[in-house]
Amino acid sequence: MSTYRVVVTDQVFPTVDLERELLHEIDAELVVAHGDREKVLELARDADALLNTYLPVDAGFIAQLRSCKIIARYGIGVDNIDRDAARAAGIPVTNVPDYSVEEVAAHTLALLLMLLRRIPEGLETVRTGAWTIDHVRPLARLSELHVGLVGFGRIAQRLARSLEALDITCVVFDPYVSTEARACAPAHIRFVDELDALLESVDAMSLHCPLTPQTRGLIGADQLSKLPSHAVLVNTSRGPLVDTDALIGALLAGSLRGAALDVVDPEPPADPAGLAATPGLHVTPHTAFYSESALREAQRKATSQVIQGLTGQPLDYQVN
């Protein structure tokens, strides 16, 4: 009989061979749960640790865990886990905050450039048999543009370095960035103290916030109305940051030129094709995080937190 029992609450990876190999070193058995919440709970109640991706782990779920010593999430965000309830139960929660920084920053940059250079309009021009620049006018030089970054964590900072190489000015709103960090920022970055100040001064906006009660619905009709009508929006962070109905309304009304989303609310959407059919809206199916290397890194780092938690070692990424 194994010393420990680790349950994967929702398996989304091609295999969990890496997890099994790593956990074998501490004599831990890995069990992959399948089915609905109740079926997962049947396995999780007496588990020593949980590896989690998307399954909601709320206070009611946590209250039924009898032996759990750590809940490790494979991804960056932890909005699907009740961290307060876990803390009250004495269960550390960890994430993997640095596993797909390169991928998400690159995906965001690609979406931004696609919108700013009006690539979709150019492709559609040729697809319809025309050959003209009329449908992509007007275009500004990238070096004349201001891109707003809402949130300035690892991904936004990496994106800002890429934008610097293109001579694009970044306008940043993040109330949690220290005065010292602001003072050390490169010259192409300008910080503002209010979201409205960003909205009114940018040609594009990219969201890089965690989903919290304070950021849910952060970008709604009022905020969208403050953006210039030629502006575009990109969200590769969390779907509920944006009021989707308000975004579609702004695009249809012409008060926003374009938007690109890698995350939506709800996810998956009930009608993906219908959503993507909105004029000016471009949607990718939550792929910004993905590369084969990123997946392996997430699996390895999440499992390492479980091993450290079960063997009494300090945790690298505790979030509660």
Side-chain angles (χ1 to χ4, degrees):
M1 185 174 178
S2 300
T3 304
Y4 305 108
R5 188 162 174 267
V6 179
V7 170
V8 180
T9 62
D10 47 331
Q11 155 62 348
V12 300
F13 298 101
T15 76
V16 287
D17 292 344
L18 176 58
E19 288 91 327
R20 290 190 197 282
E21 180 182 342
L22 293 171
L23 290 168
H24 179 72
E25 297 177 5
I26 62 166
D27 192 30
E29 173 193 14
L30 184 70
V31 179
V32 178
H34 299 282
D36 60 19
R37 170 191 167 97
E38 290 306 314
K39 290 182 179 178
V40 176
L41 261 174
E42 288 177 15
L43 293 173
R45 281 190 182 94
D46 294 314
D48 296 291
L50 301 182
L51 281 162
N52 167 267
T53 305
Y54 299 123
L55 183 81
V57 181
D58 56 22
F61 191 106
I62 290 168
Q64 298 190 55
L65 302 178
R66 295 190 278 250
S67 304
C68 189
K69 301 173 182 64
I70 181 172
I71 301 170
R73 187 169 187 277
Y74 283 111
I76 297 174
V78 287
D79 45 274
N80 63 314
I81 301 173
D82 191 326
R83 288 175 286 170
D84 292 335
R87 183 174 63 247
I91 303 173
V93 176
T94 62
N95 67 343
V96 187
D98 53 1
Y99 85 101
S100 61
V101 171
E102 176 181 345
E103 286 79 5
V104 179
H107 197 91
T108 307
L109 178 64
L111 295 179
L112 278 169
L113 292 177
M114 175 189 75
L115 292 172
L116 292 172
R117 289 296 304 168
R118 303 188 73 155
I119 301 299
E121 292 94 325
L123 293 172
E124 185 61 22
T125 295
V126 178
R127 190 175 292 117
T128 58
W131 194 267
T132 175
I133 66 170
D134 291 345
H135 298 143
V136 302
R137 285 177 166 162
L139 280 181
R141 282 184 171 175
L142 294 179
S143 59
E144 298 170 349
L145 300 178
H146 291 70
V147 172
L149 304 178
V150 182
F152 202 57
R154 291 179 177 87
I155 293 168
Q157 290 173 35
R158 180 150 188 149
L159 174 62
R161 293 202 297 272
S162 297
L163 295 174
E164 180 181 20
L166 297 170
D167 290 329
I168 293 176
T169 299
C170 295
V171 181
V172 176
F173 170 68
D174 188 332
Y176 299 101
V177 175
S178 68
T179 302
E180 294 78 10
R182 293 185 181 207
C184 297
H188 78 295
I189 295 176
R190 176 167 63 87
F191 288 90
V192 294
D193 294 324
E194 300 292 338
L195 178 58
D196 282 0
L198 179 148
L199 296 170
E200 294 164 358
S201 63
V202 299
D203 305 286
M205 176 172 65
S206 184
L207 304 180
H208 300 279
C209 314
L211 179 60
T212 67
Q214 293 73 36
T215 61
R216 183 178 291 274
L218 180 69
I219 305 301
D222 183 54
Q223 290 73 32
L224 292 169
S225 71
K226 292 182 171 66
L227 285 165
S229 60
H230 69 270
V232 297
L233 177 148
V234 172
N235 186 14
T236 55
S237 187
R238 283 290 184 266
L241 297 176
V242 178
D243 182 330
T244 304
D245 291 339
L247 175 62
I248 291 173
L251 291 168
L252 293 176
S255 57
L256 185 71
R257 184 170 66 76
L261 309 176
D262 186 58
V263 289
V264 296
D265 181 33
E267 197 170 298
D271 182 14
L275 182 67
T278 302
L281 180 59
H282 309 279
V283 184
T284 54
H286 203 146
T287 55
F289 73 95
Y290 170 69
S291 74
E292 289 297 313
S293 294
L295 289 187
R296 288 191 295 272
E297 185 178 7
Q299 291 177 274
R300 177 174 54 80
K301 287 186 173 180
T303 306
S304 73
Q305 297 307 286
V306 167
I307 292 171
Q308 289 165 217
L310 293 179
T311 57
Q313 302 174 59
L315 300 172
D316 301 310
Y317 304 122
Q318 186 168 348
V319 293
N320 68 332

